[in-house]
Structures are given as structure tokens and as C-alpha cells.
């Protein structure tokens, strides 16, 4: 059965060349809506090394100072913006039209106690919000990258952080150990160290009164802990106002629940008090400046759920206006809300209350993992798609949600398959991964490919274990991984275009981009089952109404089913897989799929 599935997947690779031409080009990229893109996400440090002279970021010393150790998965490896610029041909050949780049701001090179140190290669430990980290290059290198991408008709999305900075602030009460969260009730702002403590911050009305006048009364930051900054780092942050300890919450580590979710330090990182109007204005100025200087096309917002809603309610319209003034009418903003549930209610709240235009679609990822990498029925997708009505704007917003099957935090989809089916052959794992790719690249949302997935990377887990190098790696924990579609390892560079996964993604990307039904078309669930088996969805061209039927088999056995279609859909052309030439009766078409197979069937006009 698996062999049949592989043959079906291979069939899509024989699409005529004309069908593989993406309908985009220089001069038209600004007009594309967010849902018109295929996104490629990467960490610059792990992608390509274009300039070895910046590997140590201008610092001298060992890894504990420079952060550079290409043999350790937790340190800088040497990838940079010049390397990415040099590989735009590769990214475009995959079919991607937008590049989401992990944070490029200057980071604290190394954090952590001796013996437990790691580096800021990932970009989330920011000290200077105004400039590129020297490990990754210069501001001029970033401008060159953005200009080169735009010349190809490709967009560039920046990964931004407003929730926290690098870990610079320390607390006298708990030096050398973690500081537990201290709540507003137990440690109110107007008392020093608890309700019975000395009166401080007289007249401060609390962080819900978000006016400049009110926050001017918050002069003492020692209500919960006694924060201080070591002398060597007192001026490390840029812009300079970020060195003021009073613009941070200073309440200890978040538990990721309740009040601490927006006021606690994320794993010790300095949690910015985003309720303060000074912070709001400052962040709009900082991040708007990157739009002004470089003309970037969108922001992915890290840890968006850990920022108070009022901040986003003001930040989003201000940034969109900044982008429009720069001639960027379709600036894409999407927040990270890491909720692992097929039910979209938790995600949708951030579009309704926080007014985020879009969020990363963790619900989509969960549905794919539970069904194709798991054993649940395809009715999980009914729950997912029914949830589209919950987003602010409904389906119009759901179409703009970046969808994904794996990432740099949760791990790769292939890893999930191997974990859940340890006895599965490589052929079966490949079939399941290809099926997940097909779902990703045809259903609503903005398909987001994580760098390395197209080369068959299979990591050991999430976080550092899923951040393999695309260039030749020196990390033993990466180089012992068994990849898909190749007998090579990550000890060799992987920028070829022959891996079956690269070829599949490239083909499906071009099918998607050449059919408006798959980028902007409404969606109708045609069939789902309470066990592994058929999932069928119709999408419709927004201009002509032409139907495209999508059919997927999540089971290990071949299936044949009759599927409802529009009465006018009498005959079909095959875009991928195998489709019946004609309907069996008005409103019904027979679908036969091999194990883990899929088909994309376009009704004739």
C-alpha cells in the first residue's frame, strides 16, 4: 500500500512546466494580499554562511564570550544575511513568495550560568532593537537582502519581539536562582515588598490606567523584588530608554497562566511593561523605523499572547499606517499564540480582543499532527474549519492565518511521525509527510514551510533539536539524524532540488499560486470520517465560481468513496493525484485514493 502511495505522490511531480509558473513578478508583489503568499521560514544563523568574518560577531574569546561554536546546537554556527541573500534562487525555486526571517536584532551573545550557557543565535535575546546583530551582518546587508528579494517579487517578513529583552535585570532577593512570580495582590505597586511594606509610588492608579500621567507616578520598581542591573550592562540596551528598570514588570518568572502570563519574565528574560504609554510609543517608533528604512512587508510577533491586549489594539493600526505611508498597502501582521488545540477558540480570541489581524495557526498544526502523524479521524478538520467563524472577520481572517506543520519550537512534522510510528518504514514516513504537505498547500491559510523540511530533515525533538543547519553542519546531534528522501546527512550542505519533498513542495506551491481558488477561495467541507480515512474539501474560484475538489486519505489502506460536488461540476481535470474524468451523477464524483494519497481535481468550466 505504501508503494502505491509513493507512486501517487510521484505522479504530481510530472506536472507540465506551464502549470509550474507562479503568477507573480517584480512590480506586483506590493499588490498581493497576505493569503496570496507561500512563506519560507528560517533562522539566518542556521541557513547559509555568506561571510565567515562575522562568525564571532566582532567579539574575541571563546564560545562563552563570542557565542560561536559550530559544534554545539545551542550556539552560533555562522549563518548570516549575506548567506541568505546568496540563496534566494533556492528559496524561489521552492515556490516561496515570502521569507519570514527569525529576529535579526542585536542580541546578548551568551546567557545562562556557567555550565548551562547558550547563545542568542535564534534572535530572541535582544539588547539593541535598532541594528542587526553583528553575527548576522550589518544593516546594509539587511537592506541588500530586502532589495534583492523585492527585485524578485518576493516579500520579507521580520520576526519582532516586544514582550521582553535579553536577561539583564537581576533581583537581589534571588541571585543565582530562579525568581518565582509575585502577584499584584501580594505585592501591590504602592508598597515596598508586600502589603505591609513601606509606601511607594504614591498616587499610581495601577497598570490598567494607561496614561502618561499615571505612569509618571511609578518611580520605584522595588514593589515585588529589588531589581538592579550589573555595572557592565547598565547601558547595554538600545534605544537608551530600555535601560530604565521602571519600564519592566520586575515580578519574577511567569507561570504562563493567569496574571503572570502578561506580567512575568519569560524564562528569566526581562519582561517589558507594555502597559506603559512610554513603551507603546517607543516600540511603534522602533519597529516603524524598520519599515521606513528597509520597506519590509510584514511582522511576525513573538510571544504575542504574553502582551496586554491594549498594547496590540494601539500598535497594530499605528504600524499599518506607517506601512501605508511607505507604500506598503498589504502589510502582514501575525502573532504567535502557542495554544495546542484543534478548537480555534483560544486563537480567535486574540483577533477579537487584542485585534491582531492574524495569528499563527497552531490549531491547523494540531489537526494535521493528530490525524496524519497520529491516529485520530479526519473529523478533527471539521472542528478546525468550523472554528473559522470565531475569528474576527470570520473566513476572511482565517485565509490570512499562516498555517504550518512544524517549526523551530515544537519540532518538525517528520519527527512527530517517527515518534508516533517508531516501526514505520521510511516509505510510510515519507508518504505521511507528503500528505501533510498537500493539506498545508491546498487548504485555507498561508502555507509556511520551515527551512529544512523540504530536504527531509528529521530532528530529535523541538527547540534546539529542530534547528539544524542547511549548510554543512558540525553538530553531532544533527549529523546522526536519518533524513527522508536522501542517504546524506546534515554533515553536507542541503541546497539541492532533487529531494522528493523539495520537488513536491515546489510543484504544489505553483499549483496553489496559479489557482485563485486555492489562495482566496471559500471552502466547503465535503467529507470527513471518525477514523483515519477520507477528508474532502471543495474550494471555489472567487471570480468564476469554478470548483476545485481536494481529497486526502489519512489511512494506511486504499479507499474509494463518492463525494458530493456542485451540480454543475460534471467533468474534472487532474492537477495532482488521480481524478475521475466525469461525475458519476449530477452532484457526485467517485474518488479513489491509495494509502496516504491525495488528489486535486479541478472542475471544467
Amino acid at each position: 500500500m505504501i508503494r502505491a502511495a509513493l507512486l501517487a505522490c510521484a505522479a504530481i511531480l510530472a506536472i507540465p512546466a506551464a502549470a509550474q509558473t507562479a503568477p507573480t513578478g517584480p512590480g506586483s508583489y506590493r499588490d498581493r494580499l497576505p493569503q496570496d503568499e507561500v512563506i519560507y521560514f528560517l533562522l539566518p544563523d542556521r541557513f547559509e554562511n555568506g561571510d565567515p568574518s562575522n562568525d564571532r560577531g566582532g567579539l574575541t574569546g571563546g564560545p562563552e564570550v563570542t557565542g560561536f561554536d559550530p559544534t554545539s546546537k545551542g550556539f552560533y554556527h555562522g549563518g548570516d544575511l549575506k548567506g541568505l541573500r546568496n540563496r534566494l534562487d533556492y528559496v524561489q525555486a521552492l515556490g516561496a513568495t515570502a521569507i519570514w526571517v527569525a529576529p535579526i536584532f542585536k542580541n546578548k551573545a551568551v546567557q545562562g550560568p556557567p555550565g548551562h550557557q547558550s547563545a542568542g543565535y535564534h534572535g530572541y535575546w535582544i539588547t539593541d532593537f535598532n541594528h542587526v546583530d553583528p553575527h548576522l551582518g550589518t544593516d546594509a546587508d539587511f537592506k541588500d537582502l530586502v532589495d534583492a528579494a523585492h527585485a524578485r517579487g518576493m516579500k520579507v517578513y521580520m520576526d519582532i519581539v516586544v514582550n521582553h529583552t535579553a536577561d539583564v535585570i537581576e533581583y537581589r532577593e534571588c541571585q543565582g536562582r530562579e525568581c518565582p512570580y509575585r502577584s499584584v495582590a501580594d505585592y501591590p505597586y504602592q508598597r515596598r515588598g508586600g502589603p505591609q511594606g513601606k509606601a511607594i509610588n504614591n498616587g499610581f492608579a495601577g497598570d490598567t490606567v494607561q496614561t502618561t500621567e499615571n505612569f509618571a507616578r511609578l518611580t520605584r520598581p522595588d514593589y515585588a523584588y529589588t531589581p538592579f542591573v550589573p555595572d557592565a550592562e547598565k547601558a547595554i540596551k538600545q534605544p537608551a530608554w530600555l535601560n530604565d528598570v521602571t519600564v519592566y514588570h520586575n515580578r519574577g518568572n511567569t507561570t504562563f497562566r493567569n496574571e503572570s502570563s502578561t506580567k512575568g519574565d519569560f524564562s528569566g528574560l526581562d519582561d517589558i511593561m507594555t502597559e506603559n504609554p512610554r513603551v507603546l510609543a517607543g516600540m511603534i517608533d522602533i519597529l516603524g523605523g524598520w519599515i521606513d528604512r528597509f520597506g519590509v512587508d510584514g511582522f511576525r510577533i513573538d510571544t504575542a499572547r504574553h502582551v496586554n491586549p491594549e498594547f496590540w489594539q494601539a500598535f497594530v493600526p499605528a504600524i499599518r499606517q506607517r506601512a501605508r505611508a511607505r507604500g506598503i498597502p498589504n502589510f502582514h501582521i501575525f502573532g504567535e499564540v502557542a495554544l495546542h488545540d484543534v478548537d480555534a477558540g483560544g486563537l480567535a480570541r486574540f483577533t477579537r480582543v487584542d485585534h491582531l489581524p492574524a495569528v499563527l495557526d497552531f490549531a491547523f498544526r494540531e489537526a494535521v499532527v493528530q490525524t496524519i502523524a497520529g491516529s485520530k479521524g479526519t473529523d478533527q478538520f471539521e472542528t478546525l474549519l468550523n472554528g473559522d467563524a470565531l475569528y474576527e472577520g470570520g473566513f476572511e481572517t482565517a485565509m490570512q492565518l499562516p498555517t504550518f506543520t512544524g517549526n523551530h519550537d515544537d519540532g518538525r512534522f517528520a519527527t512527530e511521525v517517527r515518534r508516533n510510528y517508531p516501526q514505520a518504514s521510511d516509505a510510510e514516513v515519507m508518504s505521511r509527510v507528503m500528505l501533510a504537505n498537500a493539506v498545508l498547500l491546498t487548504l485555507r491559510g498561508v502555507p509556511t514551510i520551515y527551512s529544512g523540511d523540504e530536504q527531509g530533515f528529521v530532528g530529535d525533538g523541538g527547540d534546539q533539536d529542530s534547528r539544524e543547519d542547511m549548510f554543512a553542519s558540525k553538530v553531532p546531534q544533527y549529523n546522526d539524524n536519518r533524513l527522508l528522501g536522501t542517504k546524506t546527512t546534515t554533515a553536507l550542505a542541503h541546497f539541492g532540488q532533487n529531494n522528493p519533498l523539495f520537488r513536491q513542495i515546489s510543484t504544489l506551491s505553483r499549483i496553489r499560486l496559479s489557482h485563485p481558488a486555492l489562495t482566496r477561495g471559500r471552502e466547503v467541507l465535503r467529507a470527513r470520517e471518525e477514523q483515519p480515512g477520507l477528508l474532502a474539501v471543495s474550494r471555489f474560484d472567487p471570480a468564476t465560481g469554478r470548483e476545485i475538489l481536494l481529497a486526502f486519505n489519512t489511512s494506511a489502506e486504499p479507499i474509494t468513496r463518492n463525494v458530493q460536488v456542485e451540480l454543475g461540476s460534471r467533468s474534472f481535470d487532474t492537477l495532482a493525484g488521480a481524478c475521475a474524468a466525469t461525475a458519476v451523477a449530477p452532484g457526485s464524483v467517485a474518488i479513489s485514493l491509495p494509502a496516504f494519497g491525495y488528489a486535486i481535481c479541478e472542475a471544467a468550466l
Side-chain angles (χ1 to χ4, degrees), residues 6-72:
L6 285 176
L7 289 173
C9 292
I12 71 161
L13 303 177
I15 302 295
Q20 298 188 29
T21 302
T24 58
S28 66
Y29 71 95
R30 291 290 196 207
D31 299 325
R32 296 198 305 259
L33 298 179
Q35 56 265 40
D36 294 340
E37 313 299 340
V38 172
I39 302 172
Y40 187 75
F41 167 54
L42 58 92
L43 281 69
D45 177 67
R46 303 300 166 90
F47 191 67
E48 176 66 300
N49 191 344
D51 184 2
S53 71
N54 62 30
D55 288 353
R56 290 172 175 77
L59 303 171
T60 57
E64 71 282 356
V65 176
T66 68
F68 178 69
D69 183 355
T71 68
S72 173

Side-chain angles (χ1 to χ4, degrees), residues 213-225:
E213 295 75 18
N214 183 47
F215 273 86
R217 302 184 185 102
L218 185 65
T219 59
R220 293 278 298 270
D222 52 346
Y223 34 82
Y225 287 103

Side-chain angles (χ1 to χ4, degrees), residues 496-566:
Q497 300 181 22
N498 291 325
N499 190 295
L501 291 168
F502 184 101
R503 294 162 58 205
Q504 183 212 22
I505 292 170
S506 176
T507 297
L508 290 179
S509 294
R510 284 158 175 78
I511 291 173
R512 179 184 184 89
L513 296 173
S514 59
H515 291 82
L518 300 180
T519 56
R520 304 186 184 188
R522 67 183 178 92
E523 206 163 55
V524 174
L525 180 66
R526 295 298 195 186
R528 91 289 182 275
E529 298 179 353
E530 296 177 359
Q531 62 280 323
L534 178 66
L535 169 68
V537 175
S538 288
R539 302 199 66 183
F540 298 89
D541 188 297
T544 67
R546 188 176 189 176
E547 181 175 9
I548 293 182
L549 178 65
L550 310 169
F552 312 95
N553 178 14
T554 66
S555 77
E557 300 295 331
I559 60 173
T560 297
R561 304 279 194 277
N562 289 326
V563 176
Q564 181 182 356
V565 291
E566 296 298 292

Side-chain angles (χ1 to χ4, degrees), residues 303-320:
T303 53
R305 65 180 292 196
H306 302 300
V307 174
N308 60 298
E310 297 87 354
F311 180 92
W312 300 127
Q313 291 165 9
F315 177 86
V316 168
I319 288 297
R320 283 181 150 178

Side-chain angles (χ1 to χ4, degrees), residues 13 20 86-95 152 454-455 470 485-486 493-507 510:
L13 303 177
Q20 298 188 29
N86 294 340
R87 292 292 185 180
L88 289 179
D89 278 344
Y90 170 84
V91 177
Q92 195 162 38
L94 183 64
R152 294 167 175 268
E454 76 280 10
Q455 295 292 343
M470 290 287 286
T486 177
H494 281 78
F495 293 104
Q497 300 181 22
N498 291 325
N499 190 295
L501 291 168
F502 184 101
R503 294 162 58 205
Q504 183 212 22
I505 292 170
S506 176
T507 297
R510 284 158 175 78

Side-chain angles (χ1 to χ4, degrees), residues 88 114 126 131 223 272 277 322 358 419 432-433 452 461 533 583 599 603:
L88 289 179
I126 303 168
H131 298 290
Y223 34 82
I272 302 174
R322 197 79 166 250
R419 179 185 295 120
R432 289 180 183 270
V433 171

